[in-house]
Amino acid sequence: MYEGRRVLTLVPARGRCDGIDHMNMRELGGHPLLRYTLRVAAQLPFVDRLFVSTENERIAAYAREHGVDVPALRSEALSEPDVVMEDIVAEALARFAESGEEFDLVLVLYPNAPFKRPEAIARAMALALSCDFVVPLYGHRDYLWEVDGDRARLAGDAERTSREAATVKHEERGGIYVYNLASGRWADPDTRETGFVEVGFHESRMVNTVYDLLMFERLARLPGSLVDDLLTCD
């Protein structure tokens, strides 16, 4: 439980192609990509129920081998590329309700964000108590451009000066989401109040391409403390 609220932790792991064929079972640092999220989820003291949502028998078997519940395979209709996470959450809640299990918060951890940490997840959980939905954001000062036909203009900055003076922009990265079920608006993007947890450069990295897998391979094998040292700017 988290502050007296029951927590369902959902790891969505399709077996189909998500930019990479069978991405969630691709090896990174000697383990399937899915393993990193299952490992961090196991460190969370407030989780009442942890399960993997998948339509794939291989992924389900792997999760069960590592002590993670897969109560039933996800319906094929909820494994298509255009399905939204709210529908997957709703299906999971309905299935657990059939056996009498109710929850107050749903924590969703995406497996293609292998470097997320318990500290960021805990911050997201705390924020979820005062809003409907929490997303992970990574802030940076890179220049972004909007394209209109064959012309481009700066987005978020009045002019191109120095990177240090540029406006901070935020990208949705990090694979940590929390739904506050006490709110009737948690599933409605148009009306819900969305909070955010800010994540650092390393923990915001996500695997979406083969290039990402190759680039993150060495990082995945390094001790976490060494990665922190390498990323620290004196």
Side-chain angles (χ1 to χ4, degrees):
M1 283 195 170
Y2 188 86
E3 299 291 332
R5 296 162 175 84
R6 296 199 76 229
V7 178
L8 173 65
T9 298
L10 185 162
V11 178
R14 288 191 301 197
R16 297 184 178 183
C17 179
D18 275 319
I20 306 172
D21 189 34
H22 291 91
M23 178 178 71
N24 292 309
M25 293 300 288
R26 293 279 181 162
E27 283 210 357
L28 178 69
H31 301 283
L33 184 59
L34 177 61
R35 174 62 176 153
Y36 294 87
T37 293
L38 297 186
R39 185 167 58 192
V40 75
Q43 299 174 40
L44 304 174
F46 47 75
V47 172
D48 294 286
R49 168 78 78 155
L50 167 65
F51 86 107
V52 168
S53 173
T54 184
E55 87 295 352
N56 185 271
E57 290 282 5
R58 181 186 174 202
I59 291 175
Y62 180 84
R64 289 167 179 148
E65 287 171 7
H66 289 79
V68 178
D69 191 19
V70 184
L73 292 182
R74 187 196 305 177
S75 63
E76 286 289 331
L78 290 183
S79 299
E80 298 298 330
D82 59 347
V83 170
V84 296
M85 183 53 58
E86 286 78 11
D87 290 340
I88 296 172
V89 170
E91 181 191 60
L93 291 171
R95 283 184 169 173
F96 282 113
E98 289 175 359
S99 58
E101 288 194 79
E102 302 287 343
F103 300 92
D104 304 293
L105 298 167
V106 178
L107 168 64
V108 178
L109 301 176
Y110 283 28
N112 67 325
F115 304 130
K116 55 186 167 294
R117 297 178 176 178
E119 295 81 6
I121 298 171
R123 295 199 306 272
M125 295 294 293
L127 184 59
L129 301 182
S130 60
C131 60
D132 308 318
F133 179 54
V134 178
V135 299
L137 298 180
Y138 164 64
H140 61 79
R141 295 181 183 274
D142 295 338
Y143 289 106
L144 300 179
W145 293 78
E146 294 178 347
V147 175
D148 183 6
D150 61 353
R151 295 291 184 269
R153 60 178 175 273
L154 281 170
D157 290 285
E159 58 184 16
R160 187 182 177 97
T161 54
S162 67
R163 184 171 179 177
E164 290 74 17
T167 302
V168 177
K169 298 91 176 172
H170 289 86
E171 294 183 55
E172 185 180 324
R173 304 182 64 90
I176 303 168
Y177 298 86
V178 189
Y179 296 89
N180 184 348
L181 304 183
S183 163
R185 304 177 300 182
W186 67 268
D188 186 354
D190 294 328
T191 62
R192 66 190 176 198
E193 184 179 64
T194 301
F196 72 93
V197 58
E198 190 149 4
V199 294
F201 177 84
H202 179 61
E203 61 185 329
S204 73
R205 298 304 91 187
M206 301 185 76
V207 176
N208 293 307
T209 66
V210 172
Y211 180 83
D212 296 329
L213 276 175
L214 295 174
M215 291 296 292
F216 298 162
E217 171 67 20
R218 188 174 181 185
L219 281 172
R221 293 181 181 275
L222 292 176
S225 58
L226 179 56
V227 173
D228 289 340
D229 290 343
L230 292 171
L231 293 173
T232 299
C233 180
D234 295 330

